[in-house]
Amino acid sequence: MSETVLNRTAEPVQIPIAELFPWLIFAVVLLLAIYFVGVEEGAMSVFPGMYVHEFVHDGRHLLGFPCH
């Protein structure tokens, strides 16, 4: 009987930064949108007043964030 053993070494895959950059921008925009729809109100508010809250009010309910 003969036994064949293959010794393979795993080499890391290089991801070019040009391919990663659009996904990074998308993630930042998505996180900002979730922040403004879900958190921007009350004590966690970045902007004074209720202007942002009223602007995204229907979006809050659509996404299931309680606000009143």
Side-chain angles (χ1 to χ4, degrees):
M1 294 196 161
S2 65
E3 200 173 303
T4 304
V5 177
L6 298 175
N7 292 328
R8 293 186 180 181
T9 57
E11 296 182 18
V13 177
Q14 293 181 357
I15 302 173
I17 197 74
E19 291 181 18
L20 190 62
F21 192 67
W23 289 104
L24 181 63
I25 291 174
F26 175 71
V28 168
V29 168
L30 186 65
L31 288 174
L32 280 173
I34 289 174
Y35 169 77
F36 280 113
V37 170
V39 182
E40 179 64 31
E41 121 179 86
M44 299 295 292
S45 178
V46 173
F47 300 103
M50 297 292 285
Y51 299 111
V52 175
H53 172 82
E54 293 301 326
F55 184 72
V56 297
H57 186 89
D58 292 335
R60 293 175 67 89
H61 292 295
L62 179 68
L63 294 174
F65 287 98
C67 64
H68 53 84

